[in-house]
């Protein structure tokens, strides 16, 4: 989407544009230009976003959103524009965002995928996208778009929907999660340990307990205003909670795929 040249000449965004956005979101430490290197725009963006994955995913997400808005405003998604990025690049971008739980339209509009309209394997893949982002610490993966549920609730409900065609909407979270674990053949604290059982059974009991802990940290009164976590939660606890949710949801979805 960000390229250095075309057959007919220059294409926006410019290096100056990139410098503005990189600085705005505090990503200069990952910018090759700030380290005295001379690189093209594509390599520059790739380097900054690669750095952001490991050091500041939230800032990287904001940079992506800003760059798409800039590309769109510059005619990057309009085939009659000299800044058009090309139909193949648009299609590749659509596929890439879809795998992460986002919908990118042909005109450059970007939004989180509304999972209420999805079913079956398509929903499994969308939830996996949320789980992967949560494992990387992405704040926006805490609540699943369009459902009002957090990631673990949405995953448990999907497991039961897949098995029975419905799920108990009035059930509390421990019951909902417990039923999903049973459907998947996973161990819960209700299953007494056995000396001959596979070692992963102990891990699964721990996952169940960890999921309950994560759910108790959720601020169910304030999910529409800022972080969906109880007030006063520290950064260490918040980061651990979102990454745990991603790991547990990913494990449940992998077991669902096996079945």
């Amino acid at each position: 989407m960000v390229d250095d040249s075309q057959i007919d000449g220059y294409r926006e965004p410019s290096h100056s544009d990139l410098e503005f956005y990189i600085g705005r979101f505090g990503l200069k430490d990952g910018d090759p230009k700030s380290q005295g290197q001379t690189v093209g725009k594509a390599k520059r963006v790739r380097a900054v976003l690669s750095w952001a994955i490991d050091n500041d995913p939230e800032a990287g997400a904001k940079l992506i959103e800003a760059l798409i808005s800039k590309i769109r405003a510059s005619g990057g998604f309009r085939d009659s524009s000299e800044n058009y990025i090309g139909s193949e690049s648009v299609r590749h971008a659509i596929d890439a965002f879809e795998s992460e739980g986002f919908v990118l339209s042909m005109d450059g509009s970007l939004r989180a995928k509304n999972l209420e309209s999805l079913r079956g394997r398509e929903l499994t893949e969308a939830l996996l996208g949320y789980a992967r982002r949560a494992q990387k610490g992405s704040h926006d993966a805490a609540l699943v778009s369009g459902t009002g549920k957090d990631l673990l609730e949405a995953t448990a409900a999907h497991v039961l929907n897949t098995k029975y065609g419905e799920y108990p909407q009035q059930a509390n979270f421990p019951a909902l999660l417990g039923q999903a674990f049973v459907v998947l053949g996973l161990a819960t604290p209700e299953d007494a340990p056995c000396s001959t059982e596979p070692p992963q059974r102990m891990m699964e009991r721990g996952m169940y307990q960890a999921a309950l802990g994560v759910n108790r940290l959720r601020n169910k009164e304030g999910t529409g205003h800022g972080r969906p976590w109880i007030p006063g939660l520290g950064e260490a606890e918040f980061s651990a909670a979102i990454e745990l949710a991603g790991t547990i949801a990913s494990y449940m979805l992998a077991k669902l795929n096996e079945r």
Side-chain angles (χ1 to χ4, degrees):
M1 299 172 75
V2 177
D3 205 354
D4 299 301
S5 63
Q6 289 194 45
I7 296 175
D8 297 328
Y10 168 83
R11 190 175 85 193
E12 293 189 2
S14 65
H15 272 290
S16 177
D17 294 325
L18 297 182
E19 189 148 357
F20 170 76
Y21 290 120
I22 289 169
R24 180 180 179 184
F25 300 117
L27 293 168
K28 286 187 176 181
D29 287 347
D31 185 6
K33 187 175 180 182
S34 69
Q35 301 164 20
Q37 301 179 37
T38 301
V39 296
K41 289 185 289 186
K43 289 183 178 179
R44 187 179 183 186
V45 170
R46 186 180 298 114
V48 171
L49 292 178
S50 295
W51 184 90
I53 287 173
D54 296 325
N55 297 279
D56 196 341
E58 291 302 302
K62 291 176 182 177
L63 175 60
I64 289 172
E65 187 175 7
L67 286 178
I68 290 175
S69 294
K70 171 62 179 175
I71 293 166
R72 185 185 187 197
S74 301
F77 294 91
R78 191 172 64 249
D79 58 12
S80 60
S81 170
E82 61 182 15
N83 277 313
Y84 183 49
I85 64 175
S87 60
E88 186 174 6
S89 293
V90 174
R91 286 194 296 270
H92 287 327
I94 288 172
D95 290 343
F97 279 108
E98 183 177 19
S99 69
E100 295 294 330
F102 289 88
V103 176
L104 178 68
S105 66
M106 290 297 291
D107 68 356
S109 299
L110 182 66
R111 59 178 174 80
K113 187 178 291 185
N114 188 329
L115 302 193
E116 280 294 309
S117 62
L118 303 181
R119 295 291 183 273
R121 185 163 296 279
E122 190 176 12
L123 180 53
T124 300
E125 292 302 316
L127 286 170
L128 272 173
Y130 274 87
R132 293 187 197 104
R133 296 209 315 279
Q135 285 177 287
K136 297 174 184 176
S138 180
H139 296 192
D140 70 343
L143 287 180
V144 177
S145 176
T147 68
K149 302 182 183 70
D150 65 32
L151 176 59
L152 291 170
E153 284 180 307
T155 300
H158 175 51
V159 168
L160 296 177
N161 257 326
T162 301
K163 174 68 175 178
Y164 301 116
E166 59 182 1
Y167 71 95
Q169 299 192 27
Q170 303 306 315
N172 61 28
F173 180 72
L176 185 71
L177 184 69
Q179 291 179 49
F181 265 52
V182 169
V183 164
L184 296 173
L186 309 183
T188 74
E190 296 296 317
D191 302 305
C194 172
S195 60
T196 59
E197 70 180 11
Q200 62 264 33
R201 301 283 284 177
M202 181 179 291
M203 179 186 73
E204 290 164 1
R205 292 186 188 94
M207 283 185 168
Y208 179 86
Q209 294 284 41
L212 296 190
V214 170
N215 184 259
R216 289 191 66 180
L217 294 177
R218 177 177 165 189
N219 179 8
K220 297 186 173 63
E221 302 301 321
T223 54
H225 307 281
R227 288 184 175 182
W229 306 100
I230 57 176
L233 192 65
E235 186 65 29
E237 291 81 6
F238 168 70
S239 296
I242 190 65
E243 290 168 23
L244 274 171
T247 297
I248 297 166
S250 180
Y251 186 72
M252 293 174 67
L253 292 166
K255 290 299 181 180
L256 180 63
N257 273 331
E258 287 180 7
R259 288 172 172 260

